[in-house]
Amino acid sequence: PQPQPQQQRGGRGGPPQQRKGYQAQQQRGGGPVNMGDGNELTASKLAAAPERQQKQMLGEQLYPRIYPNYGELAGKITGMLLAMDNSELLHLLEDRAALEEKAREAQRVLEDHRRKQAEQQQHQQQHM
């Protein structure tokens, strides 16, 4: 009998996934992103899910990491980050400093937007 090739961890032994954004993660190793709660999110699990579900899965992992520092803004910040490519989101889940930097950037954008809205409303009220 011929020896069977060993299946590699992280789904790299099977056919390459054609889902957007996961080649980079799989090339880096495709290992699990340890969520700290025993719930590991792997690139192969993500790639096997439909696009919409991929964002949902990523959002469910991002939100609890963002909420402690941003409270009520966590939902909006998470939503803003989910506009990024999925491979970048996996990187943010692996690198807390990078996640914090992106979350602060999103918070600044939200604050700037709110400030501009308030200024516009004030300007409109003065001219009524």
Side-chain angles (χ1 to χ4, degrees), residues 111-128:
E111 288 171 352
D112 287 348
H113 178 70
R114 286 183 177 177
R115 187 172 25 259
K116 286 177 185 176
Q117 276 188 322
E119 289 171 1
Q120 286 176 347
Q121 287 176 351
Q122 189 177 28
H123 182 73
Q124 287 174 351
Q125 289 173 353
Q126 290 174 352
H127 295 290
M128 288 186 156

Side-chain angles (χ1 to χ4, degrees), residues 45-119:
K45 278 185 190 178
L46 219 46
E51 179 80 22
R52 188 175 183 92
Q53 191 177 355
Q54 291 171 4
K55 292 294 186 182
Q56 178 73 29
M57 292 165 74
L58 288 163
E60 288 172 357
Q61 299 300 327
L62 286 167
Y63 181 85
R65 292 174 180 226
I66 295 170
Y67 183 81
N69 295 327
Y70 298 94
E72 68 182 35
L73 292 177
K76 287 188 181 285
I77 291 171
T78 301
M80 292 170 72
L81 295 181
L82 288 173
M84 296 171 61
D85 185 72
N86 290 352
S87 62
E88 294 177 69
L89 294 172
L90 282 170
H91 170 71
L92 294 182
L93 289 171
E94 294 170 343
D95 184 344
R96 287 192 183 270
L99 175 59
E100 182 60 26
E101 182 180 333
K102 286 291 185 185
R104 275 196 306 267
E105 183 180 327
Q107 180 186 32
R108 283 191 296 272
V109 169
L110 285 171
E111 288 171 352
D112 287 348
H113 178 70
R114 286 183 177 177
R115 187 172 25 259
K116 286 177 185 176
Q117 276 188 322
E119 289 171 1

Side-chain angles (χ1 to χ4, degrees), residues 22-50:
Y22 295 101
Q23 276 81 24
Q25 175 66 15
Q26 290 174 342
Q27 288 169 0
R28 285 198 320 252
V33 176
N34 187 350
M35 299 301 137
D37 60 1
N39 185 13
E40 292 184 336
L41 180 63
T42 63
S44 58
K45 278 185 190 178
L46 219 46

